[in-house]
Amino acid sequence: GTPGARAFLRGLAAIGPAEVRAVATRAADGMGADEPSWAGDLGAVTPGQVWLIQEGPLDGDRLICEFRYPDGRGLHAIAVRLGYGDTPGEIVPVGDVPALMTAARQAMQAELCTVQPFSPAAVGERLRAVLDGAQAVPDECYPALALARHRASLLP
């Protein structure tokens, strides 16, 4: 019955597995604890630009997908590294998108990688196939997997 528990349940209701969202919503609604002011924004994001970063022919692709909260607030991204055969290798939530893109542009100028805008629809289809597919996801990807699945579901 704590505010933290209610916020956790709101998070599950917003981005958790589909089979637990309704249960988490009912449980959070039934609690008397206070909620943080940002709880209503959980899961309510709009996709933005999508970038493809390639570090070499054998290193795979890094897909950067930008998102914003209502009214254009809170720019953030998910960065998903896909290896050969579209095997997921890394999922990273990114809070400082401008710093990430500055570092990517510097690496591109040093000819260490290529950075290019990419089709959100193509990336959405690709990420949903990888993140929701039958293929096993490495253990190191699990902490950000629910967030990445949710965000990929919002791409066209």
Side-chain angles (χ1 to χ4, degrees), residues 71-120:
D71 301 325
R73 295 177 288 112
L75 176 64
H76 63 284
I78 58 163
V80 180
R81 186 173 47 82
L82 299 176
Y84 180 74
D86 272 358
T87 57
E90 182 180 51
I91 301 172
V92 178
V94 179
D96 191 348
V97 177
L100 171 71
M101 295 312 295
T102 296
R105 280 189 286 282
Q106 289 170 346
M108 185 177 69
Q109 289 170 348
E111 298 181 4
L112 299 174
C113 69
T114 61
V115 178
Q116 60 187 354
F118 215 71
S119 161

Side-chain angles (χ1 to χ4, degrees), residues 13-50:
I15 67 167
E19 62 271 13
V20 302
R21 289 182 183 175
V23 173
T25 298
R26 285 193 302 277
D29 289 346
M31 296 178 82
D34 290 333
E35 267 185 343
S37 61
W38 48 262
D41 288 344
L42 286 169
V45 296
T46 302
Q49 292 183 293
V50 174

Side-chain angles (χ1 to χ4, degrees), residues 135-155:
Q135 160 180 347
V137 175
D139 289 345
E140 54 271 10
C141 292
Y142 275 99
L145 185 58
L147 178 65
R149 282 179 173 157
H150 175 264
R151 296 307 194 253
S153 76
L154 299 175
L155 294 169

Side-chain angles (χ1 to χ4, degrees), residues 59-80:
D59 291 332
D61 296 341
R62 187 172 306 270
L63 302 167
I64 311 294
C65 306
E66 297 180 1
F67 298 89
R68 288 189 184 273
Y69 287 100
D71 301 325
R73 295 177 288 112
L75 176 64
H76 63 284
I78 58 163
V80 180

